[in-house]
Amino acid sequence: MELEQLEMTSLIPQRPPFMMVDKILSCDDTDAVTEFLVRQDNILLDDNKLSSAGIVENMAQSCAARMGCVNLMNNNPIKLGFIGEIKNLKIYRQPMLNDHLTTEVHILMDVLDMTLASVCTKVNGEVIAEARMKLASTAIEAEG
């Protein structure tokens, strides 16, 4: 499976103009890396900077993309999920218009329908934000 060729709409339930992940670069049971370009038409752009809400949304959608990719690799349906908790969120700086965000997701624990992930977002190798996210998956299948 060519990850970079996957349509993000097959992995996450968000749709434009609220998609905050362009592609998934790598994915396995415990890790994933996504990429996102901050564009002028982004609804969470504020004064040519991606807002804090936009950074958190990119992190959450990166977690969802990993979950969707793992489900796809295991021939399981893609399920809807939601953020249960965000801890230790640190935003060091806001990315600018035309910045490429690389977001790394590392799964710390995956029990039943709950996942604990460490998420780190970078621009040109510089860490701009990090957090721990607790995610819950549901039994509801995402509509493709």
Short mmCIF file of all heavy atoms in Angstrom, two decimals, residues 8 12 21 25 27 40 56 82 85 92 99 105 107-108 111 123 140:
data_model
loop_
_atom_site.label_atom_id
_atom_site.label_comp_id
_atom_site.label_asym_id
_atom_site.label_seq_id
_atom_site.Cartn_x
_atom_site.Cartn_y
_atom_site.Cartn_z
N MET A 8 -6.84 11.24 1.96
CA MET A 8 -7.09 11.43 3.39
C MET A 8 -8.56 11.24 3.72
O MET A 8 -8.89 10.82 4.82
CB MET A 8 -6.62 12.81 3.84
CG MET A 8 -5.10 12.97 3.85
SD MET A 8 -4.22 11.62 4.68
CE MET A 8 -4.92 11.69 6.31
N ILE A 12 -9.85 9.73 7.42
CA ILE A 12 -10.41 10.59 8.47
C ILE A 12 -11.78 11.10 8.05
O ILE A 12 -12.05 11.25 6.85
CB ILE A 12 -9.46 11.77 8.83
CG1 ILE A 12 -9.25 12.70 7.63
CG2 ILE A 12 -8.13 11.25 9.35
CD1 ILE A 12 -8.42 13.93 7.95
N VAL A 21 -4.81 17.61 7.60
CA VAL A 21 -3.76 16.65 7.24
C VAL A 21 -3.85 16.46 5.74
O VAL A 21 -4.93 16.21 5.21
CB VAL A 21 -3.94 15.30 7.96
CG1 VAL A 21 -2.94 14.28 7.46
CG2 VAL A 21 -3.81 15.45 9.47
N LEU A 25 2.75 9.97 5.82
CA LEU A 25 4.05 9.58 5.29
C LEU A 25 4.48 8.19 5.75
O LEU A 25 5.16 7.49 5.01
CB LEU A 25 5.11 10.61 5.71
CG LEU A 25 4.85 12.05 5.29
CD1 LEU A 25 5.94 12.96 5.83
CD2 LEU A 25 4.73 12.17 3.78
N CYS A 27 3.19 4.80 8.68
CA CYS A 27 2.19 4.33 9.62
C CYS A 27 2.44 2.87 9.95
O CYS A 27 2.74 2.06 9.07
CB CYS A 27 0.80 4.48 9.00
SG CYS A 27 -0.53 3.89 10.06
N GLN A 40 -3.58 29.57 2.62
CA GLN A 40 -4.30 30.83 2.80
C GLN A 40 -5.78 30.62 3.09
O GLN A 40 -6.37 31.38 3.85
CB GLN A 40 -4.15 31.69 1.54
CG GLN A 40 -4.80 33.05 1.64
CD GLN A 40 -4.13 33.95 2.67
OE1 GLN A 40 -2.92 34.07 2.69
NE2 GLN A 40 -4.92 34.58 3.52
N VAL A 56 -3.87 22.01 17.37
CA VAL A 56 -4.47 20.88 18.09
C VAL A 56 -5.30 20.02 17.14
O VAL A 56 -5.26 18.79 17.20
CB VAL A 56 -5.32 21.38 19.28
CG1 VAL A 56 -6.12 20.25 19.90
CG2 VAL A 56 -4.41 22.03 20.33
N PHE A 82 -13.03 10.23 18.97
CA PHE A 82 -13.06 11.59 19.51
C PHE A 82 -11.95 11.75 20.55
O PHE A 82 -11.43 10.77 21.07
CB PHE A 82 -14.43 11.96 20.09
CG PHE A 82 -14.88 11.06 21.21
CD1 PHE A 82 -14.58 11.37 22.53
CD2 PHE A 82 -15.62 9.91 20.95
CE1 PHE A 82 -15.00 10.55 23.56
CE2 PHE A 82 -16.04 9.08 21.98
CZ PHE A 82 -15.73 9.40 23.29
N GLU A 85 -9.15 13.54 26.03
CA GLU A 85 -8.38 14.42 26.92
C GLU A 85 -7.11 14.86 26.21
O GLU A 85 -6.53 14.11 25.43
CB GLU A 85 -8.01 13.64 28.19
CG GLU A 85 -7.22 14.41 29.20
CD GLU A 85 -6.92 13.58 30.45
OE1 GLU A 85 -6.39 12.45 30.30
OE2 GLU A 85 -7.22 14.06 31.54
N TYR A 92 4.96 26.05 21.26
CA TYR A 92 6.14 26.91 21.34
C TYR A 92 6.07 28.08 20.38
O TYR A 92 6.58 29.16 20.67
CB TYR A 92 7.39 26.08 21.09
CG TYR A 92 7.51 24.92 22.07
CD1 TYR A 92 7.30 23.62 21.66
CD2 TYR A 92 7.78 25.16 23.42
CE1 TYR A 92 7.38 22.57 22.56
CE2 TYR A 92 7.86 24.12 24.32
CZ TYR A 92 7.66 22.82 23.88
OH TYR A 92 7.72 21.78 24.77
N ASP A 99 3.92 27.19 5.77
CA ASP A 99 4.77 26.24 6.50
C ASP A 99 4.24 24.82 6.27
O ASP A 99 3.03 24.61 6.19
CB ASP A 99 4.76 26.53 8.01
CG ASP A 99 5.76 27.59 8.43
OD1 ASP A 99 6.62 27.98 7.60
OD2 ASP A 99 5.67 28.03 9.59
N VAL A 105 3.09 10.86 15.56
CA VAL A 105 2.20 10.25 16.55
C VAL A 105 2.88 8.98 17.04
O VAL A 105 3.27 8.14 16.24
CB VAL A 105 0.83 9.90 15.92
CG1 VAL A 105 -0.06 9.20 16.94
CG2 VAL A 105 0.16 11.15 15.37
N ILE A 107 2.13 5.90 19.81
CA ILE A 107 1.14 5.31 20.71
C ILE A 107 1.84 4.80 21.96
O ILE A 107 2.74 3.97 21.88
CB ILE A 107 0.35 4.18 20.01
CG1 ILE A 107 -0.33 4.71 18.75
CG2 ILE A 107 -0.66 3.56 20.97
CD1 ILE A 107 -1.20 5.93 18.95
N LEU A 108 1.41 5.30 23.10
CA LEU A 108 1.96 4.89 24.39
C LEU A 108 1.19 3.71 24.97
O LEU A 108 1.76 2.84 25.62
CB LEU A 108 1.93 6.06 25.37
CG LEU A 108 2.70 7.31 24.92
CD1 LEU A 108 2.39 8.48 25.82
CD2 LEU A 108 4.19 7.01 24.87
N VAL A 111 -5.68 0.34 24.76
CA VAL A 111 -6.45 -0.63 25.53
C VAL A 111 -7.92 -0.49 25.18
O VAL A 111 -8.49 0.60 25.28
CB VAL A 111 -6.25 -0.42 27.05
CG1 VAL A 111 -7.08 -1.40 27.85
CG2 VAL A 111 -4.79 -0.51 27.43
N VAL A 123 8.09 22.01 12.32
CA VAL A 123 8.25 22.76 11.08
C VAL A 123 9.74 22.80 10.80
O VAL A 123 10.51 23.29 11.64
CB VAL A 123 7.67 24.19 11.17
CG1 VAL A 123 8.00 24.99 9.92
CG2 VAL A 123 6.16 24.16 11.39
N ILE A 140 -19.08 3.34 15.55
CA ILE A 140 -19.70 3.96 14.39
C ILE A 140 -18.73 4.00 13.22
O ILE A 140 -17.63 4.55 13.35
CB ILE A 140 -20.18 5.40 14.72
CG1 ILE A 140 -21.15 5.37 15.90
CG2 ILE A 140 -20.79 6.06 13.50
CD1 ILE A 140 -21.41 6.74 16.50
#
